[in-house]
Amino acid sequence: VINKAAGLVVHPGAGNARGTLMNGLLHHAPALEELPRAGSIHRLDKDTTGLLLIANTVPSHTALVRLLADRDIARHYQAGCAGVLTGGGTIDEPIGRHRADRKRMCVRDDGKPAVTHYTVLERFAAHTYISVKLETGRTHQIRVHFAYRRHALVGDPVYGGRLALPKGASDDVIATLRAFRRQALHAVKLGFVHPESGENMTFEAPLPEDFSSLLDALRKDVE
């Protein structure tokens, strides 16, 4: 969704490496070269799907950065995780850089505050479909928090560990889990007050086909 009059670009897509994202944005709108990080406000991990929030003017960038810092941008995700969660809750655990692997993050006492709220959408035989709302926005926050709770996201290549196939799973589920080679994480909704008009803005992006197919396979296994 492109809103030029508002000075904002909200784009449903897939997270990419930082350089690729920057190049794509600059190709779409060369004027973004004047803004920090090509105007990126809400970015995604590589292979996470969903909504990106991009400012395309200096005033909107300044205002949206302030909204994000004040936790006034509502960021909602949907995810599939290993194990069966009995109910929703909050994960309040600080996150910092992994001491041995600088490309990874981890829960550590001297990390930055990180708060993740979640509710259960659907339970399966050995997995759970969840809705997640971020209170903070640390790098890899959702993935790190659920891995720390031993409910790593399905397909996560960094925090998921070795693929564990549930006992008694159908051939269809086993094949689907083996083929799902990215974290099952989707930025489904963004909400904020427009920095110029004061209007409440909400944007949503439907689940991608691979995530929907994963859920369908897990549902059939329960049936």
Side-chain angles (χ1 to χ4, degrees):
V1 178
I2 303 172
N3 191 339
K4 292 181 179 178
L8 307 170
V9 179
V10 183
H11 175 69
N16 252 310
R18 182 174 301 177
T20 305
L21 172 61
M22 296 290 187
N23 291 337
L25 290 172
L26 293 173
H27 176 76
H28 170 73
L32 292 177
E33 188 173 6
E34 304 298 322
L35 298 176
R37 296 177 177 174
S40 299
I41 305 295
H42 174 259
R43 294 174 294 166
L44 303 175
D45 298 342
K46 180 182 178 183
D47 293 331
T48 293
T49 55
L51 291 165
L52 304 170
L53 177 57
I54 312 298
N56 63 3
T57 69
V58 172
S60 65
H61 185 273
T62 300
L64 289 168
V65 167
R66 185 178 300 116
L67 286 177
L68 188 64
D70 293 340
R71 303 181 183 179
D72 288 331
I73 296 179
R75 292 162 291 169
H76 298 266
Y77 291 75
Q78 290 178 358
C81 69
V84 181
L85 296 171
T86 57
T90 295
I91 305 174
D92 185 354
E93 298 287 351
I95 290 176
R97 189 72 58 181
H98 196 285
R99 289 182 174 88
D101 184 350
R102 304 301 294 173
K103 294 182 180 180
R104 293 164 56 100
M105 308 300 288
C106 67
V107 169
R108 48 186 291 180
D109 292 340
D110 60 347
K112 295 181 179 179
V115 181
T116 302
H117 306 285
Y118 66 95
T119 57
V120 172
L121 296 176
E122 205 168 346
R123 297 183 185 89
F124 307 111
H127 298 85
T128 308
Y129 178 32
I130 54 177
S131 174
V132 181
K133 182 179 179 181
L134 289 180
E135 185 172 320
T136 56
R138 308 303 173 201
T139 301
H140 299 173
Q141 179 173 316
I142 296 172
R143 300 163 64 190
V144 169
H145 269 170
F146 281 92
Y148 177 75
R149 288 287 185 88
R150 301 185 183 279
H151 290 288
L153 301 193
V154 174
D156 194 326
V158 177
Y159 302 101
R162 295 181 61 185
L163 175 62
L165 298 173
K167 293 181 179 180
S170 67
D171 291 342
D172 186 29
V173 165
I174 291 173
T176 301
L177 290 172
R178 283 178 170 160
F180 202 91
R181 297 183 178 274
R182 68 172 184 88
Q183 60 273 8
L185 183 61
H186 178 71
V188 67
K189 184 166 71 172
L190 287 173
F192 53 91
V193 175
H194 193 286
E196 294 179 3
S197 68
E199 180 184 358
N200 287 319
M201 311 289 290
T202 301
F203 300 88
E204 297 188 37
L207 285 177
E209 184 177 350
D210 65 340
F211 200 154
S212 295
S213 297
L214 171 67
L215 296 175
D216 288 342
L218 295 174
R219 289 186 186 110
K220 290 177 183 178
D221 217 36
V222 173
E223 294 171 0

